[in-house]
Short mmCIF file of all heavy atoms in Angstrom, two decimals:
data_model
loop_
_atom_site.label_atom_id
_atom_site.label_comp_id
_atom_site.label_asym_id
_atom_site.label_seq_id
_atom_site.Cartn_x
_atom_site.Cartn_y
_atom_site.Cartn_z
N ALA A 15 -6.57 10.65 10.15
CA ALA A 15 -5.20 11.06 9.82
C ALA A 15 -4.33 9.82 9.60
O ALA A 15 -3.53 9.75 8.65
CB ALA A 15 -4.61 11.93 10.92
N HIS A 16 -4.53 8.81 10.43
CA HIS A 16 -3.74 7.60 10.29
C HIS A 16 -4.20 6.73 9.13
O HIS A 16 -3.39 5.95 8.59
CB HIS A 16 -3.71 6.81 11.60
CG HIS A 16 -2.63 7.28 12.51
ND1 HIS A 16 -1.36 6.76 12.47
CD2 HIS A 16 -2.59 8.26 13.45
CE1 HIS A 16 -0.60 7.38 13.34
NE2 HIS A 16 -1.33 8.29 13.95
N LEU A 17 -5.43 6.87 8.72
CA LEU A 17 -5.87 6.15 7.52
C LEU A 17 -5.10 6.67 6.30
O LEU A 17 -4.59 5.88 5.49
CB LEU A 17 -7.38 6.31 7.31
CG LEU A 17 -7.97 5.61 6.10
CD1 LEU A 17 -7.74 4.10 6.17
CD2 LEU A 17 -9.45 5.92 5.99
N VAL A 18 -4.99 7.98 6.19
CA VAL A 18 -4.19 8.59 5.13
C VAL A 18 -2.74 8.14 5.26
O VAL A 18 -2.10 7.72 4.29
CB VAL A 18 -4.29 10.13 5.17
CG1 VAL A 18 -3.30 10.78 4.22
CG2 VAL A 18 -5.71 10.58 4.87
N ASN A 19 -2.22 8.18 6.48
CA ASN A 19 -0.85 7.79 6.74
C ASN A 19 -0.61 6.31 6.44
O ASN A 19 0.40 5.94 5.86
CB ASN A 19 -0.49 8.12 8.19
CG ASN A 19 0.99 8.09 8.43
OD1 ASN A 19 1.77 8.64 7.66
ND2 ASN A 19 1.39 7.44 9.51
N TYR A 20 -1.57 5.47 6.80
CA TYR A 20 -1.45 4.03 6.53
C TYR A 20 -1.36 3.77 5.02
O TYR A 20 -0.53 2.97 4.57
CB TYR A 20 -2.63 3.27 7.13
CG TYR A 20 -2.69 1.83 6.68
CD1 TYR A 20 -1.83 0.89 7.23
CD2 TYR A 20 -3.59 1.42 5.70
CE1 TYR A 20 -1.87 -0.43 6.81
CE2 TYR A 20 -3.63 0.10 5.28
CZ TYR A 20 -2.76 -0.81 5.83
OH TYR A 20 -2.78 -2.12 5.41
N CYS A 21 -2.20 4.44 4.26
CA CYS A 21 -2.15 4.29 2.79
C CYS A 21 -0.79 4.70 2.25
O CYS A 21 -0.23 4.02 1.37
CB CYS A 21 -3.27 5.08 2.13
SG CYS A 21 -4.91 4.44 2.49
N LEU A 22 -0.25 5.79 2.77
CA LEU A 22 1.09 6.23 2.37
C LEU A 22 2.13 5.17 2.75
O LEU A 22 2.99 4.81 1.95
CB LEU A 22 1.42 7.58 3.03
CG LEU A 22 2.81 8.15 2.75
CD1 LEU A 22 2.99 8.45 1.26
CD2 LEU A 22 3.02 9.42 3.57
N HIS A 23 2.04 4.64 3.96
CA HIS A 23 2.97 3.61 4.43
C HIS A 23 2.95 2.39 3.52
O HIS A 23 4.01 1.92 3.07
CB HIS A 23 2.59 3.14 5.85
CG HIS A 23 3.18 3.93 6.95
ND1 HIS A 23 4.23 3.49 7.70
CD2 HIS A 23 2.85 5.14 7.47
CE1 HIS A 23 4.54 4.38 8.63
NE2 HIS A 23 3.70 5.40 8.50
N VAL A 24 1.77 1.85 3.27
CA VAL A 24 1.67 0.61 2.50
C VAL A 24 2.11 0.83 1.05
O VAL A 24 2.81 -0.02 0.47
CB VAL A 24 0.23 0.04 2.58
CG1 VAL A 24 0.04 -1.12 1.61
CG2 VAL A 24 -0.06 -0.42 4.00
N THR A 25 1.75 1.96 0.49
CA THR A 25 2.19 2.27 -0.88
C THR A 25 3.71 2.35 -0.95
O THR A 25 4.33 1.75 -1.83
CB THR A 25 1.55 3.60 -1.36
OG1 THR A 25 0.13 3.46 -1.32
CG2 THR A 25 2.01 3.96 -2.76
N LEU A 26 4.30 3.09 -0.02
CA LEU A 26 5.76 3.21 -0.01
C LEU A 26 6.44 1.88 0.27
O LEU A 26 7.45 1.54 -0.36
CB LEU A 26 6.20 4.26 1.02
CG LEU A 26 5.88 5.71 0.68
CD1 LEU A 26 6.18 6.62 1.87
CD2 LEU A 26 6.64 6.17 -0.55
N LEU A 27 5.90 1.10 1.21
CA LEU A 27 6.48 -0.21 1.52
C LEU A 27 6.54 -1.07 0.26
O LEU A 27 7.58 -1.63 -0.08
CB LEU A 27 5.68 -0.92 2.61
CG LEU A 27 6.14 -2.36 2.91
CD1 LEU A 27 7.50 -2.35 3.59
CD2 LEU A 27 5.12 -3.09 3.74
N ASN A 28 5.41 -1.15 -0.43
CA ASN A 28 5.37 -1.98 -1.64
C ASN A 28 6.24 -1.41 -2.75
O ASN A 28 6.84 -2.17 -3.52
CB ASN A 28 3.93 -2.21 -2.08
CG ASN A 28 3.24 -3.21 -1.18
OD1 ASN A 28 3.58 -4.38 -1.19
ND2 ASN A 28 2.32 -2.73 -0.35
N LEU A 29 6.36 -0.11 -2.82
CA LEU A 29 7.26 0.51 -3.79
C LEU A 29 8.71 0.13 -3.50
O LEU A 29 9.45 -0.28 -4.40
CB LEU A 29 7.09 2.03 -3.78
CG LEU A 29 8.07 2.82 -4.66
CD1 LEU A 29 7.77 2.55 -6.14
CD2 LEU A 29 8.00 4.30 -4.36
N PHE A 30 9.12 0.25 -2.24
CA PHE A 30 10.49 -0.09 -1.88
C PHE A 30 10.78 -1.58 -2.03
O PHE A 30 11.89 -1.98 -2.38
CB PHE A 30 10.84 0.41 -0.47
CG PHE A 30 10.95 1.91 -0.38
CD1 PHE A 30 10.22 2.63 0.54
CD2 PHE A 30 11.78 2.61 -1.25
CE1 PHE A 30 10.32 4.01 0.61
CE2 PHE A 30 11.89 3.99 -1.19
CZ PHE A 30 11.16 4.69 -0.26
N LEU A 31 9.79 -2.43 -1.77
CA LEU A 31 9.96 -3.87 -2.02
C LEU A 31 10.09 -4.12 -3.52
O LEU A 31 10.93 -4.92 -3.95
CB LEU A 31 8.77 -4.66 -1.44
CG LEU A 31 8.68 -4.72 0.07
CD1 LEU A 31 7.34 -5.29 0.50
CD2 LEU A 31 9.83 -5.53 0.67
N TRP A 32 9.30 -3.42 -4.31
CA TRP A 32 9.32 -3.59 -5.76
C TRP A 32 10.66 -3.18 -6.37
O TRP A 32 11.14 -3.83 -7.30
CB TRP A 32 8.17 -2.78 -6.37
CG TRP A 32 8.08 -2.88 -7.86
CD1 TRP A 32 7.60 -3.92 -8.60
CD2 TRP A 32 8.48 -1.87 -8.79
NE1 TRP A 32 7.69 -3.62 -9.93
CE2 TRP A 32 8.22 -2.37 -10.08
CE3 TRP A 32 9.04 -0.60 -8.65
CZ2 TRP A 32 8.50 -1.66 -11.23
CZ3 TRP A 32 9.31 0.11 -9.80
CH2 TRP A 32 9.04 -0.41 -11.07
N VAL A 33 11.27 -2.11 -5.84
CA VAL A 33 12.56 -1.68 -6.38
C VAL A 33 13.72 -2.54 -5.88
O VAL A 33 14.85 -2.35 -6.32
CB VAL A 33 12.86 -0.18 -6.13
CG1 VAL A 33 11.85 0.70 -6.81
CG2 VAL A 33 12.99 0.13 -4.67
N GLY A 34 13.45 -3.46 -4.97
CA GLY A 34 14.46 -4.43 -4.61
C GLY A 34 15.01 -4.37 -3.20
O GLY A 34 15.91 -5.14 -2.85
N LEU A 35 14.49 -3.47 -2.36
CA LEU A 35 14.95 -3.48 -0.97
C LEU A 35 14.46 -4.75 -0.29
O LEU A 35 13.38 -5.25 -0.58
CB LEU A 35 14.43 -2.26 -0.22
CG LEU A 35 15.04 -0.90 -0.57
CD1 LEU A 35 14.41 0.19 0.26
CD2 LEU A 35 16.54 -0.90 -0.37
N SER A 36 15.24 -5.25 0.64
CA SER A 36 14.84 -6.45 1.37
C SER A 36 13.65 -6.13 2.27
O SER A 36 13.44 -4.97 2.65
CB SER A 36 16.00 -6.99 2.21
OG SER A 36 16.21 -6.18 3.34
N ASN A 37 12.91 -7.17 2.62
CA ASN A 37 11.72 -6.93 3.44
C ASN A 37 12.05 -6.49 4.86
O ASN A 37 11.19 -5.99 5.56
CB ASN A 37 10.79 -8.15 3.43
CG ASN A 37 11.43 -9.39 4.00
OD1 ASN A 37 12.55 -9.38 4.48
ND2 ASN A 37 10.70 -10.49 3.91
N THR A 38 13.29 -6.65 5.29
CA THR A 38 13.66 -6.15 6.62
C THR A 38 14.14 -4.70 6.57
O THR A 38 14.08 -4.00 7.57
CB THR A 38 14.76 -7.02 7.26
OG1 THR A 38 15.89 -7.07 6.39
CG2 THR A 38 14.24 -8.42 7.54
N VAL A 39 14.57 -4.23 5.41
CA VAL A 39 15.07 -2.87 5.26
C VAL A 39 14.01 -1.93 4.70
O VAL A 39 13.99 -0.73 5.03
CB VAL A 39 16.33 -2.86 4.35
CG1 VAL A 39 16.79 -1.45 4.04
CG2 VAL A 39 17.44 -3.66 5.00
N ALA A 40 13.10 -2.43 3.88
CA ALA A 40 12.11 -1.58 3.20
C ALA A 40 11.31 -0.67 4.14
O ALA A 40 11.02 0.48 3.77
CB ALA A 40 11.17 -2.44 2.36
N PRO A 41 10.93 -1.10 5.35
CA PRO A 41 10.18 -0.19 6.23
C PRO A 41 10.95 1.05 6.67
O PRO A 41 10.35 2.08 6.97
CB PRO A 41 9.83 -1.05 7.43
CG PRO A 41 9.86 -2.44 6.93
CD PRO A 41 10.96 -2.46 5.92
N ILE A 42 12.26 0.97 6.71
CA ILE A 42 13.05 2.08 7.26
C ILE A 42 12.88 3.37 6.45
O ILE A 42 12.55 4.42 7.02
CB ILE A 42 14.52 1.67 7.45
CG1 ILE A 42 14.57 0.57 8.52
CG2 ILE A 42 15.38 2.87 7.84
CD1 ILE A 42 15.89 -0.14 8.65
N PRO A 43 13.04 3.36 5.11
CA PRO A 43 12.77 4.61 4.37
C PRO A 43 11.29 5.02 4.42
O PRO A 43 10.98 6.21 4.35
CB PRO A 43 13.24 4.32 2.95
CG PRO A 43 13.33 2.85 2.85
CD PRO A 43 13.58 2.33 4.23
N VAL A 44 10.41 4.02 4.56
CA VAL A 44 8.98 4.35 4.70
C VAL A 44 8.78 5.21 5.95
O VAL A 44 8.11 6.25 5.89
CB VAL A 44 8.11 3.07 4.79
CG1 VAL A 44 6.67 3.43 5.10
CG2 VAL A 44 8.21 2.26 3.51
N PHE A 45 9.35 4.80 7.06
CA PHE A 45 9.23 5.56 8.30
C PHE A 45 9.79 6.97 8.13
O PHE A 45 9.21 7.94 8.61
CB PHE A 45 9.95 4.86 9.46
CG PHE A 45 9.38 3.52 9.84
CD1 PHE A 45 10.22 2.47 10.17
CD2 PHE A 45 8.01 3.29 9.87
CE1 PHE A 45 9.71 1.23 10.54
CE2 PHE A 45 7.49 2.06 10.23
CZ PHE A 45 8.34 1.02 10.56
N CYS A 46 10.93 7.07 7.46
CA CYS A 46 11.58 8.38 7.28
C CYS A 46 10.72 9.36 6.47
O CYS A 46 10.77 10.57 6.70
CB CYS A 46 12.93 8.21 6.59
SG CYS A 46 14.14 7.35 7.62
N ILE A 47 9.94 8.85 5.55
CA ILE A 47 9.08 9.70 4.73
C ILE A 47 7.73 9.96 5.41
O ILE A 47 7.25 11.09 5.47
CB ILE A 47 8.86 9.06 3.34
CG1 ILE A 47 10.18 9.01 2.58
CG2 ILE A 47 7.79 9.81 2.55
CD1 ILE A 47 10.15 8.12 1.34
N ALA A 48 7.13 8.90 5.94
CA ALA A 48 5.75 9.00 6.42
C ALA A 48 5.61 9.66 7.79
O ALA A 48 4.59 10.28 8.08
CB ALA A 48 5.11 7.61 6.45
N ILE A 49 6.61 9.56 8.64
CA ILE A 49 6.49 10.11 9.99
C ILE A 49 6.35 11.63 9.99
O ILE A 49 5.48 12.17 10.68
CB ILE A 49 7.62 9.61 10.90
CG1 ILE A 49 7.39 8.13 11.19
CG2 ILE A 49 7.72 10.42 12.18
CD1 ILE A 49 8.51 7.43 11.92
N PRO A 50 7.14 12.38 9.21
CA PRO A 50 6.92 13.84 9.18
C PRO A 50 5.53 14.22 8.65
O PRO A 50 4.90 15.15 9.15
CB PRO A 50 8.02 14.36 8.25
CG PRO A 50 9.08 13.33 8.30
CD PRO A 50 8.37 12.02 8.48
N VAL A 51 5.05 13.48 7.66
CA VAL A 51 3.71 13.73 7.13
C VAL A 51 2.68 13.48 8.23
O VAL A 51 1.74 14.26 8.42
CB VAL A 51 3.42 12.83 5.90
CG1 VAL A 51 1.96 12.93 5.47
CG2 VAL A 51 4.36 13.20 4.75
N ASN A 52 2.87 12.40 8.98
CA ASN A 52 1.96 12.07 10.07
C ASN A 52 1.93 13.15 11.14
O ASN A 52 0.87 13.48 11.68
CB ASN A 52 2.34 10.73 10.68
CG ASN A 52 1.33 10.26 11.68
OD1 ASN A 52 0.13 10.32 11.46
ND2 ASN A 52 1.81 9.76 12.80
N PHE A 53 3.09 13.73 11.47
CA PHE A 53 3.12 14.81 12.46
C PHE A 53 2.21 15.95 12.04
O PHE A 53 1.43 16.46 12.84
CB PHE A 53 4.54 15.32 12.69
CG PHE A 53 4.57 16.54 13.59
CD1 PHE A 53 4.33 16.41 14.95
CD2 PHE A 53 4.80 17.80 13.08
CE1 PHE A 53 4.34 17.52 15.78
CE2 PHE A 53 4.81 18.92 13.91
CZ PHE A 53 4.58 18.77 15.27
N LEU A 54 2.29 16.35 10.80
CA LEU A 54 1.47 17.47 10.30
C LEU A 54 -0.01 17.12 10.38
O LEU A 54 -0.82 17.94 10.81
CB LEU A 54 1.87 17.83 8.87
CG LEU A 54 3.29 18.35 8.71
CD1 LEU A 54 3.62 18.54 7.24
CD2 LEU A 54 3.50 19.64 9.47
N LEU A 55 -0.37 15.90 10.00
CA LEU A 55 -1.78 15.49 10.04
C LEU A 55 -2.30 15.43 11.47
O LEU A 55 -3.38 15.96 11.78
CB LEU A 55 -1.95 14.13 9.36
CG LEU A 55 -1.71 14.08 7.87
CD1 LEU A 55 -1.70 12.63 7.37
CD2 LEU A 55 -2.77 14.89 7.11
N VAL A 56 -1.53 14.81 12.36
CA VAL A 56 -1.98 14.65 13.75
C VAL A 56 -2.01 15.99 14.48
O VAL A 56 -2.92 16.27 15.24
CB VAL A 56 -1.08 13.61 14.48
CG1 VAL A 56 -1.37 13.60 15.97
CG2 VAL A 56 -1.30 12.23 13.88
N ARG A 57 -1.03 16.83 14.21
CA ARG A 57 -1.02 18.15 14.85
C ARG A 57 -2.27 18.92 14.47
O ARG A 57 -2.87 19.63 15.28
CB ARG A 57 0.26 18.93 14.48
CG ARG A 57 0.40 20.19 15.31
CD ARG A 57 1.81 20.75 15.19
NE ARG A 57 2.06 21.76 16.18
CZ ARG A 57 1.72 23.03 16.05
NH1 ARG A 57 1.14 23.46 14.98
NH2 ARG A 57 1.99 23.89 17.02
N TYR A 58 -2.68 18.81 13.21
CA TYR A 58 -3.90 19.47 12.74
C TYR A 58 -5.11 18.94 13.53
O TYR A 58 -5.97 19.72 13.94
CB TYR A 58 -4.07 19.24 11.24
CG TYR A 58 -5.36 19.81 10.71
CD1 TYR A 58 -5.50 21.17 10.49
CD2 TYR A 58 -6.45 18.98 10.44
CE1 TYR A 58 -6.69 21.70 10.03
CE2 TYR A 58 -7.63 19.50 9.97
CZ TYR A 58 -7.75 20.86 9.76
OH TYR A 58 -8.93 21.37 9.31
N VAL A 59 -5.17 17.65 13.74
CA VAL A 59 -6.30 17.05 14.48
C VAL A 59 -6.36 17.57 15.90
O VAL A 59 -7.42 17.87 16.43
CB VAL A 59 -6.18 15.51 14.47
CG1 VAL A 59 -7.17 14.87 15.46
CG2 VAL A 59 -6.42 14.96 13.08
N PHE A 60 -5.20 17.69 16.56
CA PHE A 60 -5.18 18.10 17.95
C PHE A 60 -5.22 19.60 18.15
O PHE A 60 -5.32 20.08 19.26
CB PHE A 60 -3.98 17.47 18.68
CG PHE A 60 -4.24 16.06 19.10
CD1 PHE A 60 -4.07 15.01 18.22
CD2 PHE A 60 -4.70 15.79 20.37
CE1 PHE A 60 -4.33 13.71 18.59
CE2 PHE A 60 -4.97 14.49 20.77
CZ PHE A 60 -4.78 13.44 19.87
N LYS A 61 -5.14 20.35 17.09
CA LYS A 61 -5.25 21.81 17.19
C LYS A 61 -6.62 22.16 16.78
O LYS A 61 -7.35 22.87 16.75
CB LYS A 61 -4.21 22.49 16.30
CG LYS A 61 -2.82 22.34 16.85
CD LYS A 61 -2.76 23.05 18.15
CE LYS A 61 -1.44 22.90 18.84
NZ LYS A 61 -1.35 23.57 20.07
#
């Protein structure tokens, strides 16, 4: 589940860096998008 999530994180990070967000700010929208996706994946694993 985290392998899928990691790929989403890195893709989004590089996308946000590419569009011009600073390297200290770019992770923040990544977290906002990827964390809900991760909850669904991890919940599936534990159920």
Side-chain angles (χ1 to χ4, degrees):
H16 274 271
L17 180 60
V18 171
N19 195 46
Y20 170 77
C21 293
L22 178 63
H23 272 256
V24 171
T25 300
L26 290 172
L27 175 70
N28 285 291
L29 175 69
F30 290 126
L31 291 169
W32 180 76
V33 298
L35 288 180
S36 74
N37 61 4
T38 56
V39 173
I42 295 169
V44 173
F45 296 140
C46 292
I47 294 167
I49 289 172
V51 172
N52 187 44
F53 173 73
L54 296 174
L55 293 171
V56 170
R57 190 166 193 276
Y58 176 77
V59 168
F60 278 83
K61 289 296 176 180

